[in-house]
Amino acid sequence: MTERTEKKPAVLIVGGLGYIGRFLALHIHQNDLASEVRLVDKQLPELARLPPEFNEACSRDKFLQADASSEQFTTKIFDRGNDEQFNLVFNCGGETRFSQEDEVYRARSYNLSLALGHEAARRKVSCFVECSTGQVYKPAQAPRKETDKLKPWSTQAKWKLSAEEGLNKIEGLNLCILRLANVYGPYTTGFLSTALCMARVYKYLEKDMKWLWDKDLMTNTVHVDDAVRALWRVTTWYRDSGRVGRTAATRDKEGSAPIFNIVDHGRTCQGTLADLIHQEFAMKTGFQGTVISAFARMHLGSVVDDVNDELLDEWADLQRENNIQPGPISPFVEAELLKDTDLSLDGSEFEKKTGFVYDHPSLTLKEMRAVLDSYLRMNWWPVEEPKEVPE
């Protein structure tokens, strides 16, 4: 009696050169999980600032340049040329910048998701995974569960939620939605990179680094390695739980596709970041207090402009002094990310249903130093000699 061997899936990753997409490709490559991988992105690999360890996972032979939000490219993106279909489709694409106009998110995120979803349903893709955001919930310090009230607090999140709702209406789409906390890890250009660059400038200026609001403002996190492992795990759970082929009306009691929060156990907050930066940069950190924070709440736009004016020129000086070309990280602050809004998620449902275990359970000093080391390898980071931590 011969043992049954299961054919590995063919995988399509849209936004395949973005931060999450490239790490998903690397995870699949390193673990030999797929029979074929196609990466779709608007930018070319040569322009994507790929570190050397991604060379094979994101090689040219796996890449297709296309604007996936445009329906004229949909057939080209999905056709494999062998009369077979992709088994798994991951949408890691969309507009990642904050504080953009509604029309930008409509065109680059909402239209992208729906175009991909309709085509995946037509081709009977076994699982379509949509990367969404935890910013869709009404902000609160208490961890938000998947069934809690929705009130997106960024324009990006508003359109991500609209995309979720549109995808849920597509008949025959085998859909899973993952709502991610702040994703960080090596080479990150997200929220953590902004805080680190700000700290580097304040250290250069020999100033204390003080946050608005207070230490308890939640800024929950997930390591990129865990995020992409969760993306893959949800596809095997979806298959093994017998959900493939269910109609939009019978997916579950609410008529919704499975939705899961992806977040580590660290309960990361502003106090966490302040403490880690204090340790790493040997500088004083703290919070502005109620008076200044109250003023900032009323005049957030002008406060953000002042902060950016103060920091960006100094960052450019630091780069010049260290012979660093302008790169993908900077202390530039997005106004939407400086709001007094908690990102606080409960990820227990995903762990309970899928048996998932986080390899990086919290943001620690070791994890932060791994990020800085990755910047140094890419010559993105202005170095300095370590100094004694002040009291």
Side-chain angles (χ1 to χ4, degrees), residues 254-270:
E254 291 79 27
S256 172
I259 298 173
F260 295 113
N261 295 332
I262 306 300
V263 59
D264 65 28
H265 296 170
R267 302 291 296 141
T268 308
C269 60
Q270 286 201 144

Side-chain angles (χ1 to χ4, degrees), residues 108-322:
R108 298 178 185 174
S109 296
Y110 177 80
N111 289 351
L112 166 69
S113 294
L114 266 63
L116 295 173
H118 280 292
E119 190 66 14
R122 187 179 74 82
R123 294 175 183 253
K124 297 180 172 55
V125 169
S126 297
C127 190
F128 179 95
V129 182
E130 175 78 0
C131 290
S132 190
T133 173
Q135 295 175 8
V136 297
Y137 297 106
K138 182 178 180 181
Q141 278 197 354
R144 302 292 86 187
K145 295 185 177 182
E146 291 83 351
T147 53
D148 282 338
K149 185 174 181 179
L150 301 173
K151 188 178 180 181
W153 51 267
S154 69
T155 311
Q156 181 193 87
K158 180 181 78 172
W159 285 101
K160 281 290 189 181
L161 181 58
S162 294
E164 289 185 23
E165 294 167 347
L167 290 168
N168 256 311
K169 296 175 183 176
I170 299 176
E171 188 70 24
L173 179 61
N174 294 303
L175 173 65
C176 284
I177 296 168
L178 300 189
R179 293 172 175 165
L180 304 175
N182 288 313
V183 180
Y184 77 95
Y187 316 109
T188 180
T189 59
F191 99 106
L192 182 58
S193 72
T194 302
L196 291 173
C197 292
M198 291 176 72
R200 182 65 184 88
V201 173
Y202 283 123
K203 181 70 175 179
Y204 175 67
L205 296 175
E206 299 183 342
K207 290 184 176 181
D208 299 348
M209 182 173 177
K210 292 188 176 182
W211 278 259
L212 289 172
W213 325 127
D214 60 47
K215 66 181 179 61
D216 296 320
L217 185 70
M218 305 308 296
T219 57
N220 284 186
T221 51
V222 62
H223 193 282
V224 67
D225 287 345
D226 284 329
V228 300
R229 288 177 52 244
L231 285 169
W232 189 263
R233 178 68 186 102
V234 82
T235 65
T236 59
W237 169 83
Y238 192 89
R239 176 200 64 201
D240 296 343
S241 61
R243 289 179 169 269
V244 177
R246 293 188 186 185
T247 64
T250 59
R251 286 176 178 144
D252 60 23
K253 289 184 292 185
E254 291 79 27
S256 172
I259 298 173
F260 295 113
N261 295 332
I262 306 300
V263 59
D264 65 28
H265 296 170
R267 302 291 296 141
T268 308
C269 60
Q270 286 201 144
T272 308
L273 293 177
D275 182 57
L276 293 176
I277 286 174
H278 165 71
Q279 295 179 61
E280 175 60 27
F281 291 89
M283 61 188 292
K284 291 183 179 180
T285 58
F287 297 87
Q288 293 288 3
T290 55
V291 174
I292 293 178
S293 292
F295 175 83
R297 188 175 286 110
M298 298 293 293
H299 307 279
L300 189 60
S302 61
V303 168
V304 170
D305 289 343
D306 289 345
V307 170
N308 286 329
D309 287 344
E310 177 185 16
L311 298 181
L312 290 176
D313 286 345
E314 302 293 347
W315 177 253
D317 290 343
L318 270 169
Q319 289 179 311
R320 281 192 295 270
E321 290 174 11
N322 285 267

Side-chain angles (χ1 to χ4, degrees), residues 59 85 182 362:
S59 59
Q85 303 297 339
N182 288 313
S362 63

